[in-house]
Every structure is written in C-alpha cells, then in structure tokens.
Amino acid sequence: MLFMSISFKTPAELQTVLGERLRALRLSRNFSQRELAGKAGVSLRALHNLEAGSGSTIETFLRVLKALNAVDAIEALVPQPKVSPLTLLKMGAVPRRVRRRAVAN
C-alpha cells in the first residue's frame, strides 16, 4: 500500500483512519468492545460503527475518548489559538470587528 498523506484523504477515509486508531487504542488498553461501550455509556453498535468508520456522533466519540482517558487528544485535534503577549501589547487592545456604516445617497 502506498503512503498517502492524511491531508489528501476524503472525509469518509478520515473516519476510517479515526476508527482504526480508536480501535488500536482500545486494544492497547486491553478493553473489549463490550467493556469499553459499557464504560463509555454507549451501545455496542455505536462503538462498532465508530471503530468501523461508518458514521457516529461527536457525543459517542467524546464518550469513548473519556472512557479511554484520552480526552487530551482534543488539544491535538483542535489546538487553542495562541496569541503572543507582545503582539497584544503592540496592538494596545484586543482587536474588534469593525462594522461599516451604510452611506446614505
């Protein structure tokens, strides 16, 4: 199989990758699907669908992450934007969106 950058995968392929990684994490922590589903408070079918990449909800995903003690993965998935304190000082204040007024004819 040829290496393909994850950034070029379709959303369906990304779901499959995510499911495979969650399955590997579950197995590395010695959980059966039934045990993890019970600990996460989701149905066995929901966990199976998540691991198979065949559709799931964000709630199921988050419950499984919590049950696997892997919630810190959210930080890697969607990092908090960082603003340099020096940049804030140079700006003088937090930038605000400026609305333009309509010009009367």
Side-chain angles (χ1 to χ4, degrees), residues 2-10 13-14:
L2 294 173
F3 173 75
M4 182 182 197
S5 171
I6 201 164
S7 62
F8 293 110
K9 293 190 180 291
T10 66
E13 291 170 329
L14 290 170

Side-chain angles (χ1 to χ4, degrees), residues 15-84:
Q15 280 186 343
T16 300
V17 169
L18 179 64
E20 290 168 352
R21 291 186 183 180
L22 285 170
R23 179 178 185 270
L25 182 58
R26 172 180 58 80
L27 292 173
S28 74
R29 306 246 169 108
N30 292 320
F31 281 110
S32 70
Q33 278 189 328
R34 186 172 308 283
E35 290 169 328
L36 182 58
K39 184 175 181 184
V42 300
S43 70
L44 187 57
R45 173 57 65 194
L47 179 58
H48 174 76
N49 287 344
L50 179 63
E51 288 186 356
S54 58
S56 189
T57 65
I58 291 176
E59 183 174 350
T60 297
F61 173 64
L62 294 173
R63 286 175 173 266
V64 169
L65 282 182
K66 284 185 65 89
L68 290 169
N69 294 320
V71 177
D72 57 330
I74 294 171
E75 187 61 39
L77 187 62
V78 185
Q80 184 80 316
K82 293 183 173 51
V83 178
S84 162

